[in-house]
Amino acid sequence: MNPIIPVPVAAQGEIVELRTVRSKTFDMGGQRRRLISRIELVHYVDPMTGQLEDVNTDIVEEAGGFRVSKAWYDLTIPTSPATPTPVALSYASKRGGVVTVTLVAVDDIPISRLLLTLSPRIRGNELWWENVRPDLDIILSASPGHIELYKRLRTPFAPARFTWEITTTSGHASFQRQTFARDASPEKREVRVITTITGPSSDRGRELYVYREDVTRETIVEDPRTRIRSVRPLSETVYPILVDVQVLEDIVANNDDGNTRISYGDWQDGTLVYATSVKLPGFRFVSVPVPQGATIDAPTQLTYLIITATSDTGTLYGYDTDSAAAWSNSIRPGLIAQTTASVALACTPAGWATLDVRAIVQEIVNRPGWASGNNMSLGANNTVGGDTTVITAYNYQPANSANLEINYTAGGAQNKMRWGIGMGVGGGGGANARPGVIG
């Protein structure tokens, strides 16, 4: 795995002593520096040395199982013949706290009766248990601050009930007691999942409980005009369905992108960002290290990935404040104090959209109360149209969530800084390759 933030082509090297948990700083020659910061975790603290080290979530095979150790946690997936189930893991936070997750039944059939003999396959930071049952794959995906367990239902005939046994100890790791599921339609429609928790019970400092997921296969669609949510016929569901549950570190922040529902007057931090006539998207970037009064240069831009394009229109503003507080029901797009500078919100075409936000950023950093390290938010208003533009969110695809790039001049030297809610490694590649690859 390459570093989450790769060294820019023109850089003379990283200034290691300036590392933070979410950023790197590079020497670009002379007085020029390039700081790249993002909301995803870039470094972890080595408990032996206390130093910040590069996160590497590639899964490696070792004696007795598969492991990830160069992250904020130590992940173990056992493969010993004595293991009672082929789908199990242990997640141990380096700061304390252990979560174990074990699949104990599929469609109410105990795993012990299925007599499975699976050989998990590694794909970088993913581990695939293929054909756990007919038309069913289970995928473990390791990220710097959390892991995800996906059930991939390939057809309508795949199993749809999953029973897990969970154990936890007190600390900084937690099992997310909520399941998200989406189908493969262009809109990535929500699939209704019913979850049931039995327990917990306590045993020698551990909490034990059973977590059951029932995937109804029904998709839910919200009418953007009436806001009425309706269940669609099973015939409209597009396969495969991805069913996701997570184990998280408590240092991961995931509320920095989402949308406000105008009529409800609330903020939604979801797995996708929506832009409609009744929903306004917002993006927040934490600890932006641009000096007060710096001259903002081109290109300074916001980049985000459009999944579903529409002909809707809207306007993007900055939050006109010294340091943007976290989004909430009282601090949300459409309600915040707006900068006088704005830019048209892009809702089409599908793919990466890039907005020139140079004037917005300049207005914010010119505020007398702005200081390097403050937070900066951008939010939409005046969104017009009857369709629903769907934008990738951090909770859905961290590597493909929105990114803010700022070029600025301070003290006569030009510096280029890039950070984001989640930035792909080296800009990525393929159909969803992020524009403006670092270099």
Side-chain angles (χ1 to χ4, degrees):
M1 177 180 178
N2 295 321
I4 294 173
I5 297 178
V7 178
V9 174
Q12 297 182 2
E14 182 190 357
I15 306 174
V16 176
E17 58 269 25
L18 296 182
R19 283 182 175 180
T20 72
V21 169
R22 290 180 171 86
S23 74
K24 286 180 177 288
T25 300
F26 299 100
D27 181 357
M28 304 304 292
Q31 298 298 315
R32 297 179 302 136
R33 299 288 184 267
R34 179 179 296 180
L35 182 141
I36 303 172
S37 172
R38 51 181 292 180
I39 199 170
E40 183 63 287
L41 301 170
V42 174
H43 302 109
Y44 72 97
V45 177
D46 186 322
M48 300 297 293
T49 65
Q51 301 298 310
L52 288 172
E53 302 292 346
D54 283 314
V55 167
N56 185 337
T57 56
D58 279 355
I59 298 172
V60 296
E61 186 171 8
E62 299 178 355
F66 300 90
R67 291 184 171 81
V68 173
S69 59
K70 295 181 179 180
W72 284 90
Y73 54 85
D74 292 309
L75 174 69
T76 302
I77 302 103
T79 57
S80 166
T83 301
T85 170
V87 182
L89 63 90
S90 171
Y91 178 110
S93 171
K94 284 184 166 66
R95 299 174 302 144
V98 178
V99 177
T100 64
V101 181
T102 304
L103 180 65
V104 295
V106 176
D107 278 350
D108 292 330
I109 303 175
I111 289 293
S112 58
R113 295 184 184 177
L114 295 177
L115 301 176
L116 300 178
T117 56
L118 300 176
S119 298
R121 184 158 56 92
I122 296 175
R123 295 182 180 178
N125 68 325
E126 293 183 346
L127 189 75
W128 284 62
W129 290 276
E130 295 174 306
N131 295 311
V132 175
R133 297 294 289 157
D135 300 320
L136 170 68
D137 305 319
I138 296 180
I139 306 161
L140 182 148
S141 178
S143 295
H146 68 280
I147 63 102
E148 296 173 274
L149 274 172
Y150 293 98
K151 282 71 67 182
R152 185 171 181 264
L153 283 58
R154 298 198 300 266
T155 74
F157 307 103
R161 173 175 288 181
F162 307 95
T163 306
W164 304 85
E165 187 174 84
I166 314 297
T167 67
T168 64
T169 63
S170 61
H172 296 275
S174 62
F175 180 82
Q176 186 182 34
R177 302 186 187 190
Q178 186 175 8
T179 296
F180 300 97
R182 297 197 178 272
D183 74 352
S185 64
E187 303 81 16
K188 306 298 181 189
R189 289 177 299 214
E190 176 186 348
V191 176
R192 192 164 67 94
V193 180
I194 301 171
T195 59
T196 306
I197 299 173
T198 303
S201 60
S202 297
D203 177 34
R204 291 173 292 182
R206 300 182 303 164
E207 283 196 341
L208 298 84
Y209 59 93
V210 173
Y211 185 79
R212 193 176 74 186
E213 304 165 305
D214 287 289
V215 184
T216 67
R217 302 186 179 91
E218 299 169 332
T219 56
I220 300 173
V221 177
E222 181 177 294
D223 188 309
R225 298 178 181 85
T226 65
R227 306 183 306 278
I228 296 175
R229 288 164 59 87
S230 60
V231 177
R232 306 306 301 162
L234 290 174
S235 60
E236 294 185 8
T237 302
V238 181
Y239 288 83
I241 294 174
L242 284 179
V243 186
D244 176 28
V245 69
Q246 301 181 6
V247 178
L248 303 171
E249 289 283 327
D250 63 10
I251 55 175
V252 175
N254 53 15
N255 188 42
D256 289 317
D257 58 358
N259 48 260
T260 182
R261 296 187 297 179
I262 298 173
S263 298
Y264 289 94
D266 63 358
W267 167 258
Q268 289 184 310
D269 168 36
T271 56
L272 294 170
V273 175
Y274 299 99
T276 73
S277 58
V278 295
K279 292 185 178 181
L280 303 174
F283 309 93
R284 178 173 177 259
F285 300 89
V286 178
S287 301
V288 179
V290 176
Q292 192 278 334
T295 300
I296 306 302
D297 302 314
T300 292
Q301 54 198 21
L302 173 72
T303 305
Y304 52 84
L305 182 61
I306 298 175
I307 298 176
T308 304
T310 70
S311 59
D312 289 357
T313 61
T315 307
L316 188 79
Y317 298 86
Y319 183 8
D320 192 15
T321 187
D322 293 338
S323 187
W327 297 115
S328 66
N329 290 347
S330 59
I331 301 174
R332 50 189 169 83
L335 190 66
I336 58 175
Q338 298 173 354
T339 55
T340 57
S342 64
V343 65
L345 183 71
C347 297
T348 191
W352 289 106
T354 300
L355 306 185
D356 180 357
V357 295
R358 178 182 178 184
I360 297 174
V361 174
Q362 184 71 74
E363 186 173 338
I364 294 173
V365 302
N366 280 350
R367 292 179 57 89
W370 172 267
S372 178
N374 283 5
N375 308 323
M376 186 178 297
S377 288
L378 305 171
N381 204 353
N382 305 325
T383 305
V384 178
D387 298 318
T388 301
T389 304
V390 182
I391 300 169
T392 297
Y394 170 79
N395 285 347
Y396 180 63
Q397 291 178 340
N400 286 331
S401 52
N403 185 70
L404 178 66
E405 176 181 330
I406 296 178
N407 287 276
Y408 77 91
T409 301
Q414 187 182 49
N415 299 266
K416 186 175 183 180
M417 304 188 180
R418 184 176 299 192
W419 58 94
I421 290 175
M423 186 173 61
V425 176
N432 286 338
R434 183 185 300 276
V437 176
I438 297 173

